[in-house]
Amino acid sequence: MRINKIDIELTNICNLKCNFCSHEKITREKGFMPFALFKKIVDEIDWKIDEFVIAGFGEPLLDSNIFEKVKYARKLNCIIRLYTNGLLLTEEKFKQLVESGLDSLIISCYATNKEEYKKFHNSDNFDKVRTNIIKLKEIRKSMEVKNPLISLNPIEDIIDKKRYISCWNPFVDIIVMKNLHNLAYGKNFNDVKKGKRLSCMYPFFVLEITWNGNVRICCADYDGKIIIGNLQKQSIKEIMQSQKYKEIMNIHEKGQFEKIAICDNCDQLVPSNLRNVIARKKFLFLERIK
């Protein structure tokens, strides 16, 4: 098996409309992953993986079965991460995440005040999110546990780094900056350099699963336009051994990105950007085990 990371979308329903997300462009059906399908996916992962990441184009804490799903995924004996916008991250829910065995909690909040929050997230709930975040380390301490690691992942291009770090550093374990990048066929922020490009290696190492069991080749494919299989009808091994999956691998190995529209429009395939992507992924992994 090549895959060492699973990205799973529990829902594509969200409670925010952030400016840097393509969520408002989604036309695919919206819903929540049934617990039975989630269990099937976890049970079929019979090889060692490094990370099981709950993310996608929705807010995981909207899922009424979120805590049971995190707890069930613990059987994989790997790092379990969860991305959230923090709006629903109450003390009670954080305690339940701790008890479920979550290793890493990554909060997407790009603001340091009400004005920035309104600008970036189109919401007036900055105070609520801040109140949720600043309690987390103390709650964890009171429970006498070390996990989950609490992280923020702001977009470096749009924030005042000094102000951001000053605002949030006392309340989280780590701040990992990311760069603004194109979202497949959704939102473009950077020009695409069509010179020599390298594979992001994403299809080789990451299995990207949407709430209804579709397996897509990229996390930026918000509308699921390139699907290589469905886990309600197929097993993980059947999909990974399929001709469609092999074709994607072959295209990336040969650097023929023009054959896949979302890859051809990707601004992360140039060597300089890839180094940033690889360094960030390695950092996110090492921060858990240091």
Side-chain angles (χ1 to χ4, degrees), residues 31-223:
F32 293 89
M33 179 175 285
F35 203 174
L37 176 57
F38 184 87
K39 286 182 177 179
K40 174 183 181 292
I41 293 167
V42 171
D43 291 345
E44 288 183 5
I45 304 170
D46 58 2
W47 70 98
K48 176 62 179 174
I49 62 172
D50 295 327
E51 297 179 77
F52 187 87
V53 182
I54 299 171
F57 279 91
E59 171 51 52
L61 293 181
L62 289 170
D63 187 344
S64 60
N65 292 316
I66 179 61
F67 311 112
E68 291 83 359
K69 287 175 178 176
V70 172
K71 186 174 182 179
Y72 194 81
R74 281 257 46 96
K75 67 187 293 186
L76 295 172
N77 194 29
C78 67
I79 295 172
I80 310 294
R81 299 190 192 282
L82 184 146
Y83 282 79
T84 176
N85 58 40
L87 196 55
L88 300 177
L89 195 59
T90 61
E91 179 175 346
E92 179 184 356
K93 287 185 177 179
F94 181 67
K95 285 182 176 179
Q96 288 180 280
L97 287 174
V98 171
E99 292 166 352
S100 68
L102 186 69
D103 293 299
S104 177
L105 180 69
I106 303 176
I107 305 166
S108 298
C109 176
Y110 310 147
T112 61
N113 54 53
K114 292 180 180 180
E115 292 73 23
E116 288 180 344
Y117 198 80
K118 181 70 172 180
K119 178 181 178 181
F120 298 148
H121 299 285
N122 289 305
S123 170
D124 295 313
N125 284 306
F126 175 75
D127 288 340
K128 183 176 182 180
V129 172
R130 178 174 169 78
T131 298
N132 288 345
I133 293 174
I134 63 177
K135 293 179 180 178
L136 300 180
K137 288 178 71 174
E138 284 302 315
I139 296 170
R140 188 181 60 187
K141 183 178 179 180
S142 71
M143 297 178 74
E144 300 182 340
V145 295
K146 294 183 178 180
N147 289 337
L149 193 88
I150 302 163
S151 311
L152 287 170
N153 66 333
I155 299 174
E156 185 175 7
D157 314 63
I158 65 171
I159 64 169
D160 181 315
K161 287 192 285 187
K162 185 176 180 180
R163 184 170 70 236
Y164 190 93
I165 292 171
S166 176
C167 173
W168 292 114
N169 199 52
F171 307 111
V172 299
D173 298 308
I174 191 169
I175 295 173
V176 183
M177 304 286 179
K178 62 183 178 181
N179 296 117
L180 199 59
H181 62 83
N182 294 349
L183 293 172
Y185 41 86
K187 293 188 176 182
N188 292 337
F189 302 103
N190 303 311
D191 294 331
V192 178
K193 297 178 181 179
K194 297 292 182 72
K196 183 179 179 181
R197 297 190 287 172
L198 303 174
S199 173
C200 63
M201 305 303 289
Y202 203 89
F204 294 90
F205 299 115
V206 183
L207 198 66
E208 185 74 33
I209 306 168
T210 64
W211 71 269
N212 62 352
N214 279 340
V215 176
R216 56 189 179 188
I217 67 167
C218 178
C219 59
D221 185 8
Y222 63 88
D223 227 12

